[in-house]
Amino acid sequence: MKKIGLALGGGGAKGLAHIPMLEVIDEMGIKVHRLAGTSIGAIMGALYASGMTGAHIRELVDQAITVKGHTFRDTLKNRNALKWIQLLDLDLKHHGLLRGDKFIDSLYKAMGVLTFERLNIPLRVIATDFWTSGQAVFESGPLLPAIRASMGLPGVFTPMTIDNRVLIDGGGVNPVPHDLLGDCDIVIAIDVMGDPGASATEVPTMFNAMLGMFDIMQKSIIREKLKHSPPDIYIKPDITGVEILEFFKVDDIYEQAEPARNKLKEELKKLLG
């Protein structure tokens, strides 16, 4: 059988679009040989590699996002507010807006896995070395610190220090790490960066401008990588109007990802027969 490699890219809440793609792989009975993930792609990759199905991950997300709407104000009007808001532990006195420790604790409770070696599917997690601008790839040893480093979006999550390296979001060097799946026969890349969906004349807030600049940089990296090392299957769900922490828009994200889900299924049928 052909070895299938799956790369899951970063994109904040838009990364929930990875879930329908994982469900397609399950529905087709495909066994993934290796995963590589950046930021939320690392989170989804770890959940999947731990033995969860796409449907199980969807259920996990639905349990966490108990209130859904179109804006933060809509969701906060509900007395049952989102469980995931409780996981966003503030860190205003230090180096980022959020620590992410509570989220990592909840991730462990869902997976029950502490090391890469205990995963059912080999996984590579990508972070950025802040001081050298280099790529840090984790595939052995402690799993949760690597994920925490990979999701360290500057200005949002506090950086992570591992082996004397200060690490931030892997999107700074490799937003969709399909080039790390060279030992696979067929490489699938899922790019969930999406588009802002705002008016071309709208002036962004300072916070949105900072995040937007990071998105622009990541998209530039992706374009260059596609020119020089294209994957066998490249899927880019058309996700618009979703900000980094707007997980409450999960239903909109799933709906917008449906055409890409169908495309992935068609592409896999062509390649696998």
Side-chain angles (χ1 to χ4, degrees):
M1 294 184 63
K2 293 182 178 180
K3 296 178 180 179
I4 307 296
L6 178 62
L8 304 178
K14 291 171 285 189
L16 296 177
H18 285 311
I19 295 173
M21 311 308 154
L22 294 172
E23 289 174 333
V24 165
I25 290 171
D26 292 335
E27 290 167 11
M28 298 185 68
I30 295 171
K31 181 173 175 55
V32 175
H33 174 70
R34 183 182 297 280
L35 287 153
T38 294
S39 200
I40 193 168
I43 296 168
M44 293 294 174
L47 290 171
Y48 194 71
S50 73
M52 291 188 187
T53 63
H56 190 181
I57 298 172
R58 182 188 286 256
E59 181 180 345
L60 185 69
V61 169
D62 285 344
Q63 289 173 355
I65 305 176
T66 57
V67 182
K68 301 168 185 177
H70 297 288
T71 67
F72 272 111
R73 184 171 296 180
D74 290 339
T75 59
L76 294 176
K77 284 180 181 177
N78 194 301
R79 295 179 63 184
N80 294 321
L82 306 181
K83 292 181 182 178
W84 68 266
I85 288 179
Q86 300 171 18
L87 303 178
L88 303 181
D89 40 339
L90 293 176
D91 188 25
L92 299 179
K93 294 182 180 180
H94 295 91
H95 307 289
L97 179 63
L98 310 170
R99 285 190 296 270
D101 296 337
K102 290 182 180 179
F103 176 77
I104 289 298
D105 289 343
S106 71
L107 192 61
Y108 168 68
K109 291 177 182 178
M111 297 189 302
V113 177
L114 286 174
T115 65
F116 282 89
E117 289 78 7
R118 295 293 301 274
L119 294 171
N120 293 344
I121 304 171
L123 169 69
R124 289 178 175 140
V125 169
I126 292 79
T128 301
D129 187 319
F130 181 80
W131 291 114
T132 69
S133 303
Q135 177 172 258
V137 180
F138 297 91
E139 55 184 321
S140 63
L143 174 63
L144 298 178
I147 295 174
R148 171 67 181 77
S150 183
M151 60 181 253
L153 185 65
V156 178
F157 291 100
T158 53
M160 187 77 177
T161 300
I162 301 176
D163 296 332
N164 296 318
R165 290 185 296 177
V166 178
L167 303 173
I168 60 173
D169 197 296
V173 288
N174 205 340
V176 186
H178 57 81
D179 56 324
L180 298 181
L181 299 170
D183 58 336
C184 299
D185 301 311
I186 296 176
V187 174
I188 305 166
I190 311 296
D191 173 4
V192 294
M193 288 298 297
D195 294 298
S199 167
T201 59
E202 182 178 335
V203 178
T205 63
M206 181 178 68
F207 185 67
N208 284 340
M210 179 185 68
L211 295 180
M213 179 59 73
F214 193 66
D215 281 355
I216 291 169
M217 178 189 69
Q218 291 184 89
K219 289 175 181 177
S220 178
I221 294 172
I222 293 170
R223 283 195 299 269
E224 288 303 310
K225 285 179 59 183
L226 289 175
K227 289 179 185 178
H228 301 290
S229 178
D232 299 287
I233 297 177
Y234 172 69
I235 301 295
K236 188 178 187 300
D238 187 17
I239 309 297
T240 61
V242 178
E243 301 292 345
I244 182 173
L245 295 178
E246 292 184 333
F247 291 92
F248 53 84
K249 292 184 177 180
V250 56
D251 290 337
D252 291 340
I253 295 167
Y254 289 154
E255 183 178 352
Q256 292 185 60
E258 192 63 20
R261 181 188 189 280
N262 295 333
K263 180 182 178 182
L264 175 59
K265 195 168 189 177
E266 293 172 3
E267 295 289 334
L268 286 170
K269 285 180 178 178
K270 290 177 185 177
L271 280 180
L272 301 177

